[in-house]
Amino acid sequence: MEKKVNNITRIDYIWPLVAIVIVNWNKKELTGDCLKSLEMTDYDNYKIIIVDNGSTDGSIEYLKKMNKEIEIIKLNKNYGYTEGTNIGWKYAIKRLKADYLCVMDNDIITVQPEWLALIIEEMERDAKIGLGSGKHTFPDGRLQTPFLGADDTYQMDTGKYNYTKEVGGFVGPCMLIKKNLIKKIGYYDENFFYGPNDLDYCHRARKEGFKIIYVGASHSVHI
């Protein structure tokens, strides 16, 4: 079987299993739009896990009707973003035996079929790469912070950041994390109900010698 990624054709490549973990709380339509956009994803081996933080708006029924293949973890109350994400990660590692976790905010809209494959391809090049992320823009085309230290935040995206680079960390609405990194440093710190759990995780990864990679060719919209 041939697979073309980033204009490179590979034959009989075994793609690592990626578990995309999305936390939802009473945002069934927003999360539904995220799921709808993921249908274009051109990647051979991924699963979607929705962690529902005790929604009362019919989210579970709505999302399951939209995509019967997704896994839904139903929680009895709102445990917050960080703890909810950790619950999804643990399920992905223990039950699905995922090789990578993709922690994705429910207001991400994917706009490229190859968004996931582009990041995985770069992360597979080096065992010490523990985290990866792509470029995110607002719906109006303005650039969000690509990585720590980038200087054009909130400017219109001109393609300036369409490159690959090792970076110090992300404010991460969508990050890819290798299983061996999780085994080394664990999960998000649940002292954070929400942010800056992502920056903390990047800091902990660097302290253990892992690299963090930014892949600007992979583009998604973050509402």
Side-chain angles (χ1 to χ4, degrees), residues 82 85-86 89-90 93 101 130-131 177-190 197 200-202 204-205 208 210:
T82 301
T85 298
N86 281 349
W89 287 12
K90 291 171 184 176
I93 295 291
L101 294 181
L131 287 118
I177 305 167
K178 272 183 184 166
K179 179 171 62 177
N180 64 339
L181 173 58
I182 296 168
K183 287 183 174 181
K184 183 70 174 180
I185 71 171
Y187 299 88
Y188 276 160
D189 183 343
E190 292 180 5
N197 52 288
D200 172 72
Y201 203 76
C202 290
R204 287 159 53 199
E208 292 295 332
F210 285 89

Side-chain angles (χ1 to χ4, degrees), residues 47-58:
K47 295 182 182 295
I48 300 171
I49 301 168
I50 302 291
V51 180
D52 187 78
N53 260 330
S55 293
T56 57
D57 67 345

Side-chain angles (χ1 to χ4, degrees), residues 2 5 13-15 17 36 44 54 56-57 64 72 111-112 134-135 155 160 164 169 180 191 203 207 214 219 221:
E2 291 189 351
V5 178
Y13 180 74
I14 299 175
W15 292 94
L17 173 59
K36 185 69 176 176
D44 287 340
T56 57
D57 67 345
K64 196 65 176 177
I72 298 182
V111 295
Q112 295 173 303
K135 179 177 69 177
Q155 303 300 311
K160 175 180 176 180
T164 297
N180 64 339
N191 288 308
H203 174 69
K207 280 182 66 177
Y214 164 76
H219 173 214
V221 172

Side-chain angles (χ1 to χ4, degrees), residues 1-5 10 12-18 41-47 113 116-117:
M1 174 181 176
E2 291 189 351
K3 186 75 174 181
K4 181 169 283 190
V5 178
R10 289 180 167 178
D12 294 331
Y13 180 74
I14 299 175
W15 292 94
L17 173 59
V18 179
T41 302
D42 182 15
Y43 188 85
D44 287 340
N45 197 15
Y46 76 94
K47 295 182 182 295
L116 179 54

Side-chain angles (χ1 to χ4, degrees), residues 13-50:
Y13 180 74
I14 299 175
W15 292 94
L17 173 59
V18 179
I20 301 174
V21 177
I22 302 169
V23 174
N24 173 72
W25 182 56
N26 289 327
K27 294 290 184 182
K28 64 181 182 182
E29 280 137 6
L30 186 66
T31 304
D33 289 342
C34 176
L35 288 180
K36 185 69 176 176
S37 76
L38 284 170
E39 292 176 4
M40 74 166 63
T41 302
D42 182 15
Y43 188 85
D44 287 340
N45 197 15
Y46 76 94
K47 295 182 182 295
I48 300 171
I49 301 168
I50 302 291

